[in-house]
Amino acid sequence: MTGKPKQLVQLDAAEQAHESRKPLFGLDLEALEARMVEAGEPAWRGRQLAEALYRQRIAGLDAITTLPKPLRQRLAVEGWEVGRPRIARVFQSVDGTERYLVECQGQDAQTVETVWMPEGDGGEAGDGSDLDAPEMPENPEMLGAPSIPRLSAERVGNQKSQQEFVQYDNASGEQGKRWERATICVSSQVGCAVNCRFCLTAKLGLQRNLTAGEIAGQVIAVFERHGVEVGRDRVNLVFMGMGEPLLNYDNFMGAVRLLVLEVGLSPRRMTVSTSGIVPGIERFAQEPAEVRPKLAISLNAPNDRIRGEIMPINRKWPIESVMDAVRKVQLRPRERVTFEYVLLGGVTDRPEHAVEVARLVRRTGLPIKVNLIAWNPGPGIEYTMPQPEAVEAFRGVLAGEGIPTYLRRPRGRDIFAACGQLKRTVEG
Ligand code: SAH
Ligand code: SF4
C-alpha cells in the first residue's frame, strides 16, 4: 500500500487541472467583460483581452502584457488559457496551396482541415467581394478571359501527382509575402452528418460540432502563419471545409460575429456554403447585413431526381423549398447567390443537365452565379471525374444561356485536396 495513495492524489490533481482548462479564445466581448468582472476587475479589461486575442493574435496568456501580471497568474491558476486551435501539420502543394490539420481546443484533440489558397481558387470570382476591384465581366463572351481560371486537361487527368506530397510539421510559412490575395477554406464540424454520396467528409460521419472559437481559431492560426494584415490584405473566407455550417448554426454564426466584430473582417468577404438546410437558411435570412456572410448553395444536380440520389438531404428539403428559403435573404447591392455545382462524370455533367440548371437558377429571379467544380475523387467513392471536354461543354451551355459561370480551379491535388480527403488520408 505504501506510496500508492500519494500517486492517486497526484493523478487526481493532474486530471483536475486538465479538466478545468478553459479557453478564453472564442468568448465574445460581452463574455470576456463578464469574466473580468467575475475576477474583480473593471469590465474594460475585457476589451483589452479581446484586443489581445483577436487583433494582436496573442497565443499565450502570459504574453498578454496589457493585463497586470497578478491578474494573468490568477486566471491561469483558475484554469483559463488562451486555448486557440493550433496548426498541427502542414501540407504544401506545388501550386502554393497549403492544407492544414488544425488541432482543436477540446480534450479530444480532434483535428480538422483548413486550406490556404493564395490567389483564390476562382470560386470568389465575380461574387462582388472585390469591393476595391472592378466587377468581373458578366458577359458570357468574356468567360474565357485570362483573369478567369480555366480547368486544364492536364490537371484534371493527373492522378499521379496525388501520391506525392510534402509535409512540414510546424514549419513557419512566413517567407515574405508572395501573394496578392488569398482565400481560406474553413471547417465547421468534425465530419458531417449530411451524407452526400460524392463527399469524403460524409464518410467520417458527424464526430462533433466545432465551437465558435475552434471555427474562428482556424482563421486566426492561418493569419498568423502568413502574417495577414487585417484591413490591408485581401483575404476571402469560405466556410466550405468539413461539415455543414448551418447544422452547427450558433457556433458558426458565433465565429462569424467574432471575425467581423472583433477581428475586423467584412462579411462581404465571407461565403457560407450549405447543402440546403432550409430552417438554417431561414434563420440566416434574419441575420443583420452587418454580420451576414454571402450564401452559396450546393445545388450539384439539375433536378430533384438526380439530386435526391446524390444528396439524400434533398428528400427532406427538395430544390424548390431551398429556393423559397434563399429568396428570403435580403441581398446587399451587387451581392449574388452562388450555386455550386459538382460535376460527376456521366451523372451530372451532360449538356442537357446544363440546360436544366440554367432554367432552374434563372427561375429564382435572383442575382446569381454558378460555380462549377470538377469532382475530386477519393478512396471508396464510386463516381468518376468528368472529362475535360464535358466540363468545357457544360460551361459553354450555361454561358450561352447567359448565366455567369465560373470554374473552380482544382487546387492542391497533390496534397489530397478534395473535401475531407486530407484527414481521411493522413489519419485513416
Ligand atoms: N457542407 C457544406 C459545405 C462543405 S462542402 C456544403 O455541402 O455546401 C463544400 C463544397 O464541396 C460543396 O459544394 C460540395 O458539394 C463540394 N464537394 C464535396 N465533396 C467534393 C468532391 N469530392 N469534389 C468536389 N467537390 C466536392
Ligand atoms: Fe456534408 Fe457538404 Fe460533404 Fe454534403 S458535401 S456530406 S453537406 S460536407
Side-chain angles (χ1 to χ4, degrees), residues 198-199 240-241 243-244 273-275 298 300 340 342 373-376 418-419:
F198 50 83
C199 173
M240 296 185 185
E244 168 49 62
S273 173
T274 177
S275 54
S298 294
N300 294 344
E340 293 162 280
V342 176
I373 315 159
W375 179 69
N376 254 318
C419 182

Side-chain angles (χ1 to χ4, degrees), residues 71-335:
L71 173 57
R72 280 179 266 155
Q73 283 168 342
R74 214 160 66 236
L75 287 170
V77 167
E78 286 171 19
W80 292 96
E81 58 175 11
V82 169
R84 188 174 86 197
R86 67 176 194 98
I87 295 177
R89 299 179 82 174
V90 179
F91 300 79
Q92 289 178 323
S93 165
V94 287
D95 66 13
T97 302
E98 285 188 350
R99 182 164 279 251
Y100 315 104
L101 283 180
V102 175
E103 198 177 278
C104 294
Q105 299 165 324
Q107 280 162 47
D108 55 1
Q110 279 278 13
T111 57
V112 289
E113 298 179 28
T114 310
V115 187
W116 163 263
M117 293 171 281
E119 317 311 327
D121 70 346
E124 67 289 344
D127 60 4
S129 70
D130 286 340
L131 302 173
D132 43 359
E135 268 283 71
M136 295 293 283
E138 289 198 21
N139 178 348
E141 306 232 327
M142 296 291 284
L143 285 172
S147 58
I148 300 168
R150 293 178 69 100
L151 196 68
S152 81
E154 193 191 64
R155 272 184 194 288
V156 171
N158 191 352
Q159 283 284 305
K160 234 174 150 187
S161 66
Q162 291 207 15
Q163 306 307 319
E164 306 157 6
F165 63 91
V166 190
Q167 182 209 318
Y168 299 86
D169 275 330
N170 294 320
S172 161
E174 191 54 50
Q175 303 139 340
K177 255 174 221 169
R178 285 176 301 179
W179 45 276
E180 288 290 312
R181 60 188 177 83
T183 298
I184 301 174
C185 181
V186 182
S187 292
S188 57
Q189 297 180 310
V190 185
C192 184
V194 178
N195 209 14
C196 304
R197 300 283 183 240
F198 50 83
C199 173
L200 218 59
T201 302
K203 300 240 166 208
L204 296 165
L206 176 62
Q207 301 192 6
R208 74 168 171 85
N209 280 334
L210 295 182
T211 64
E214 289 168 338
I215 298 171
Q218 295 168 59
V219 177
I220 298 303
V222 176
F223 274 16
E224 265 305 273
R225 177 173 168 81
H226 289 280
V228 170
E229 291 173 52
V230 174
R232 234 197 67 188
D233 291 325
R234 283 166 54 186
V235 179
N236 291 303
L237 302 185
V238 292
F239 297 93
M240 296 185 185
M242 304 173 78
E244 168 49 62
L246 300 191
L247 287 180
N248 183 17
Y249 193 92
D250 291 331
N251 291 329
F252 157 67
M253 271 311 296
V256 168
R257 277 191 295 272
L258 283 177
L259 292 165
V260 173
L261 303 174
E262 303 308 332
V263 179
L265 303 176
S266 163
R268 297 201 60 166
R269 290 197 185 279
M270 301 179 192
T271 304
V272 58
S273 173
T274 177
S275 54
I277 308 297
V278 165
I281 300 170
E282 285 172 344
R283 232 181 125 183
F284 184 75
Q286 304 296 317
E287 296 290 347
E290 306 83 72
V291 291
R292 180 180 57 72
K294 293 177 299 176
L295 184 60
I297 304 291
S298 294
L299 180 62
N300 294 344
N303 55 49
D304 281 324
R305 188 183 55 77
I306 300 178
R307 197 168 189 267
E309 274 166 28
I310 63 172
M311 298 177 74
I313 192 88
N314 193 76
R315 295 174 211 159
K316 187 161 188 184
W317 292 301
I319 296 173
E320 267 322 304
S321 68
V322 174
M323 297 304 187
D324 285 344
V326 173
R327 280 191 211 94
K328 295 185 179 155
V329 179
Q330 290 256 315
L331 298 176
R332 288 161 286 223
R334 295 207 305 158
E335 181 178 351

